[in-house]
Amino acid sequence: MRSANPALKGTPFNKFGGTSVSKQMTLSGTVYKTFILLIILMASSFYTWHQYNIGEPVGHLIMIGVIGGLISALIIAFVPKTAPLLAPFYAALEGLAVGGISANFESQFNGITMQAAALTFGTLFALLLAYMLRIIKVTHNFRLIVFSATAGIMLVYLTSFILGFFGIDIPYLHSSGPIGIGISLFIVVIAALNLVLDFDFIEYGANQRVPKYMEWYGAFGLMVTLVWLYFEILHLLAKIRRN
């Protein structure tokens, strides 16, 4: 339970402990691969964004991104050795969804995507600095709280998705009133704290002499959290604008 990220928590590092590998996971290597995945995601999202702005239908691209991204993420989560091959595909597919959804929000609220992106990266760097300076310490209780809150949020989202087929909405979850905004703000905080657990997960892996391919796995997990945080901030800003 070192990370609450569903994409990361299933891989125990202790199975690599004490093993001798010629190429090992490093922090710098993980950062470099995270940057590569981010560039791929942004390039893919810009393509869908452009298609939307010139009037082309992007619904099919969003669906391809969501479904394809989910499938590739599940494969990586269960078979980490596939991360070097599938993580770039995940980033490209996820970018299709990010670009299309972002363009739709931008058409309703001018400038909202730049605000959401700035807040996402600002949160990333602020929490990274706090983690490096040990202002935020990852304790067992910290992990337990973030893990429990994340699991609860995922359960609520899953329930909302299922109830949606029957025309039933969970009260306040998508509303733009003070309670709805408060709920979104809470979810944004939990998503942001998952970044801290991801940092801890990556640092721990780099100290455990794990194979080099785990750099891609750690970078993939960090991208999952960043995309989630971006969408939650986008959702929060939209609620504030509507209110």
Side-chain angles (χ1 to χ4, degrees), residues 14-91:
N14 56 7
K15 70 180 180 180
F16 300 116
T19 59
S20 177
V21 289
S22 57
K23 294 184 178 180
Q24 301 174 7
M25 178 182 183
T26 63
L27 287 175
S28 60
T30 306
V31 171
Y32 175 71
K33 290 170 176 61
T34 301
F35 182 74
I36 292 176
L37 295 184
L38 184 61
I39 293 298
I40 294 173
L41 185 144
M42 292 178 64
S44 178
S45 65
F46 284 147
Y47 170 75
T48 317
W49 178 287
H50 175 70
Q51 294 297 105
Y52 184 93
N53 286 333
I54 64 176
E56 294 292 331
V58 297
H60 65 292
L61 293 176
I62 295 176
M63 290 303 298
I64 291 173
V66 172
I67 297 174
L70 177 61
I71 293 174
S72 59
L74 288 173
I75 295 175
I76 296 171
F78 285 103
V79 189
K81 284 187 177 181
T82 62
L85 176 64
L86 292 183
F89 281 102
Y90 164 80

Side-chain angles (χ1 to χ4, degrees), residues 189-202:
V189 171
I190 297 302
L193 291 179
N194 270 269
L195 288 174
V196 179
L197 294 189
D198 290 344
F199 300 152
D200 179 68
F201 180 93
I202 293 170

Side-chain angles (χ1 to χ4, degrees), residues 6-238:
L8 294 180
K9 72 181 185 67
T11 300
F13 279 126
N14 56 7
K15 70 180 180 180
F16 300 116
T19 59
S20 177
V21 289
S22 57
K23 294 184 178 180
Q24 301 174 7
M25 178 182 183
T26 63
L27 287 175
S28 60
T30 306
V31 171
Y32 175 71
K33 290 170 176 61
T34 301
F35 182 74
I36 292 176
L37 295 184
L38 184 61
I39 293 298
I40 294 173
L41 185 144
M42 292 178 64
S44 178
S45 65
F46 284 147
Y47 170 75
T48 317
W49 178 287
H50 175 70
Q51 294 297 105
Y52 184 93
N53 286 333
I54 64 176
E56 294 292 331
V58 297
H60 65 292
L61 293 176
I62 295 176
M63 290 303 298
I64 291 173
V66 172
I67 297 174
L70 177 61
I71 293 174
S72 59
L74 288 173
I75 295 175
I76 296 171
F78 285 103
V79 189
K81 284 187 177 181
T82 62
L85 176 64
L86 292 183
F89 281 102
Y90 164 80
L93 290 167
E94 199 70 13
L96 294 177
V98 170
I101 295 172
S102 297
N104 182 265
F105 271 89
E106 184 70 20
S107 67
Q108 301 177 60
F109 310 101
N110 184 44
I112 193 172
T113 53
M114 286 299 296
Q115 293 175 351
L119 287 171
T120 300
F121 286 107
T123 302
L124 170 67
F125 292 122
L127 289 177
L128 179 59
L129 180 62
Y131 177 78
M132 292 175 63
L133 296 176
R134 298 301 187 246
I135 297 174
I136 298 178
K137 296 182 180 180
V138 181
T139 63
H140 174 73
N141 288 335
F142 181 89
R143 293 192 189 98
L144 183 61
I145 292 172
V146 176
F147 176 82
S148 300
T150 303
I153 292 169
M154 295 300 110
L155 181 60
V156 170
Y157 277 163
L158 178 61
T159 303
S160 176
F161 177 76
I162 295 174
L163 292 178
F165 288 107
F166 302 96
I168 302 174
D169 292 327
I170 295 180
Y172 304 113
L173 183 61
H174 301 293
S175 70
S176 300
I179 297 179
I181 292 175
I183 291 173
S184 285
L185 183 59
F186 171 76
I187 296 175
V188 166
V189 171
I190 297 302
L193 291 179
N194 270 269
L195 288 174
V196 179
L197 294 189
D198 290 344
F199 300 152
D200 179 68
F201 180 93
I202 293 170
E203 182 181 32
Y204 184 80
N207 293 331
Q208 293 299 304
R209 301 173 61 189
V210 302
K212 192 74 171 176
Y213 69 81
M214 292 298 290
E215 292 179 349
W216 284 105
Y217 187 73
F220 153 74
L222 189 57
M223 290 299 300
V224 170
T225 304
L226 279 175
V227 170
W228 178 35
L229 177 61
Y230 169 75
F231 278 135
E232 293 299 346
I233 292 178
L234 197 62
H235 193 203
L236 173 61
L237 292 176

